[in-house]
Amino acid sequence: MNVNWSTGEKRRPCKLVATAVAAAALTAGAVVPTVGTAHATVRAAASKTFTWNTLHKGDCTMFSGARWTVYPNGTAYFRATVTSSDNNDAWLMRARLKDGNGAVLTALRNAAIQDPANPTKFVKNLPDHTQRYVWTAKGTFDRGWYDDIKRMSLVNSC
């Protein structure tokens, strides 16, 4: 029982407080046991997201808001909007995961390898210069690097 010291009223603990504490713990990435289930746990979906401002390379443009999101299981997802001022161009990208000092830990591997000789290359074809294209991609990396990932860089060409 809790006591409201200003009124002397006795109250039971509020479940909302427990929920708020659990939510705060989940945000921090903690494991929180669920009520009424001896073996169940709830784990927050941890991720790290890196975004870029508008990038230009040759005739190609990648608009502000392009983002890679990396997950502790060794997967990474990319989403961007791209275009070119010329027909039949292609945006080529390599993504490098880095530590807090900017040292390269590893390069993302394209989960849908487009060039077997170069599995770290991501390519988006841009056939029509009057169109903007949504570019999505999935990458993979050795999940042992996850805790060390603090930065990310892109190497681009068009």
Side-chain angles (χ1 to χ4, degrees):
M1 289 278 184
N2 289 339
V3 176
N4 181 332
W5 295 107
S6 62
T7 64
E9 176 186 335
K10 293 181 181 178
R11 295 180 288 172
R12 294 192 182 272
C14 178
K15 287 185 180 180
L16 182 59
V17 172
T19 303
V21 170
L26 286 173
T27 302
V31 175
V32 180
T34 58
V35 177
T37 309
H39 302 290
T41 58
V42 178
R43 182 177 296 275
S47 65
K48 299 176 184 183
T49 299
F50 302 90
T51 60
W52 283 265
N53 292 324
T54 299
L55 300 172
H56 299 281
K57 197 68 162 184
D59 293 331
C60 297
T61 300
M62 183 181 300
F63 294 97
S64 181
R67 69 183 176 274
W68 272 104
T69 303
V70 297
Y71 295 90
N73 67 355
T75 60
Y77 295 93
F78 177 71
R79 182 175 174 89
T81 302
V82 292
T83 193
S84 177
S85 60
D86 197 11
N87 289 336
N88 300 313
D89 269 339
W91 186 278
L92 293 94
M93 168 180 64
R94 288 180 180 79
R96 295 184 176 140
L97 301 172
K98 298 182 172 187
D99 70 9
N101 295 315
V104 174
L105 299 168
T106 189
L108 287 179
R109 295 176 58 88
N110 192 334
I113 295 175
Q114 295 168 297
D115 178 358
N118 196 336
T120 62
K121 184 166 59 172
F122 295 82
V123 180
K124 177 64 175 176
N125 290 318
L126 307 169
D128 183 349
H129 77 279
T130 66
Q131 301 297 312
R132 290 184 178 190
Y133 297 91
V134 172
W135 185 7
T136 60
K138 180 180 178 184
T140 62
F141 63 96
D142 178 341
R143 65 182 176 206
W145 289 118
Y146 184 78
D147 289 339
D148 295 319
I149 299 168
K150 305 291 186 235
R151 299 179 186 182
M152 189 170 187
S153 68
L154 301 180
V155 177
N156 305 294
S157 62
C158 176

